[in-house]
Amino acid sequence: MPWHADLRIVTALLGISAAVALAAPDPARASGPTPTLDGPTCPTIDCTPGPTRTPTGSAEARKPLPQISPEPGQPVVAATPAHWTGSRVTLTGLRIEGIVKLPTADGTVTTLKFKLDRAVSDDLLLEAPAPAGRTLHLRTSELTLDGNVAFYATRLAGKLLDNKITLTPDLPLPGSIPLASAAPITVTEPAIDMVFVHSDTLTARSTLKLPPN
């Protein structure tokens, strides 16, 4: 099975909604719509700054994020998130919209909703639940979500300016974390429990690999 077919399988399991662009072997990338995948993603963020820093910001920013409704036509998502790690992820045009309960086959899962213009993950390893209790592993040197990006996550952890952060729906957003940022934000050593993702396009470098389970 060609690797780009494997990518479509993984995105379908993860619940990514996007047109998939398959990167060329060289730095140039091939773009072009392929499959449509499903998935909004927005996690509730809880950030714990490093011991030498005290969070700053308005009292309003420290309040719990608002509860918001799912988008119209939101598909059912898996109750168990996919686990997304890498060396870093760069988020451009970040807006933290609130807490969303997404429908599952047996109820709902509580997530944080993030809106972005673009997200680029380096050295990505994605571990997604698969049928029969198996786990599907996907590796790629770079994965890009571009245009109208939305992702829903139950947890986002990593390092921001060398301070450890952990964002979850049940924790108030610290004053040190902006609700919106036009400038790119880079999180190193990210660990994201991703429930659903949507973007106009998804591009992966051709080094994509699906290791055996």
Side-chain angles (χ1 to χ4, degrees), residues 47-57 62 159-165 174-178 186:
C47 205
T48 304
T52 59
R53 291 190 128 183
T54 301
T56 58
R62 297 174 185 276
K159 291 183 179 179
L160 182 62
L161 299 177
D162 292 327
N163 289 308
K164 291 183 178 180
I165 63 169
S176 58
I177 302 296
T186 297

Side-chain angles (χ1 to χ4, degrees), residues 46-105:
D46 166 68
C47 205
T48 304
T52 59
R53 291 190 128 183
T54 301
T56 58
S58 67
E60 182 178 356
R62 297 174 185 276
K63 293 179 181 178
L65 291 167
Q67 295 271 354
I68 58 178
S69 299
E71 295 290 335
Q74 168 65 47
V76 171
V77 301
T80 303
H83 192 54
W84 178 306
T85 57
S87 60
R88 66 178 181 176
V89 60
T90 301
L91 311 173
T92 302
L94 173 67
R95 285 94 68 200
I96 303 172
E97 295 203 335
I99 299 169
V100 184
K101 291 186 176 181
L102 296 182
T104 67

